[in-house]
Amino acid sequence: MGTLEKIYNGDYDLSKASENLPFSLRLKERAFWDAIEEGMGKAFIERHWDSLCKIEHFRDYANFREGFRLGVSLMMELM
């Protein structure tokens, strides 16, 4: 099954790309969240978690949309 067919069928999973985050960056992310929790408390993170997830989801979608536009533009140039 090709990528286009996977997208059409809803089987294409973008989350796999973010799973390959380099270990050094994962450590930095963990250190960031540890510092936030230490400085502001666990309740602060829990209070704002849903909003942070919505922001991340929007950013991921915007990046996907722009990548799709770029791909279509490049294909149109080839025609």
Side-chain angles (χ1 to χ4, degrees), residues 12-19 21 29 51-69:
Y12 189 76
D13 187 11
L14 292 171
S15 64
K16 291 179 182 175
S18 64
E19 291 175 3
L21 191 63
E29 182 180 39
S51 296
L52 290 170
C53 289
K54 287 177 184 177
I55 292 166
E56 184 177 3
H57 180 266
F58 178 81
R59 187 176 293 129
D60 289 346
Y61 174 73
N63 288 337
F64 170 76
R65 186 177 59 204
E66 186 58 32
F68 192 85
R69 285 181 181 159

Side-chain angles (χ1 to χ4, degrees), residues 2-5 8 17 23 31 42 45 51-52 55 61 68-69 74 76 78-79:
T3 303
L4 189 59
E5 190 175 356
Y8 178 78
F23 183 72
K42 187 176 181 178
I45 294 173
S51 296
L52 290 170
I55 292 166
Y61 174 73
F68 192 85
R69 285 181 181 159
L74 291 171
M76 294 299 290
L78 290 173
M79 296 182 113

Side-chain angles (χ1 to χ4, degrees), residues 7-50:
I7 292 170
Y8 178 78
N9 292 331
D11 296 330
Y12 189 76
D13 187 11
L14 292 171
S15 64
K16 291 179 182 175
S18 64
E19 291 175 3
N20 294 328
L21 191 63
F23 183 72
S24 61
L25 291 177
R26 283 185 292 175
L27 286 177
K28 289 179 182 184
E29 182 180 39
R30 183 71 246 165
F32 168 78
W33 286 111
D34 287 346
I36 294 290
E37 186 174 345
E38 183 180 319
M40 305 191 111
K42 187 176 181 178
F44 176 84
I45 294 173
E46 290 173 355
R47 193 168 50 246
H48 295 284
W49 189 254
D50 287 340

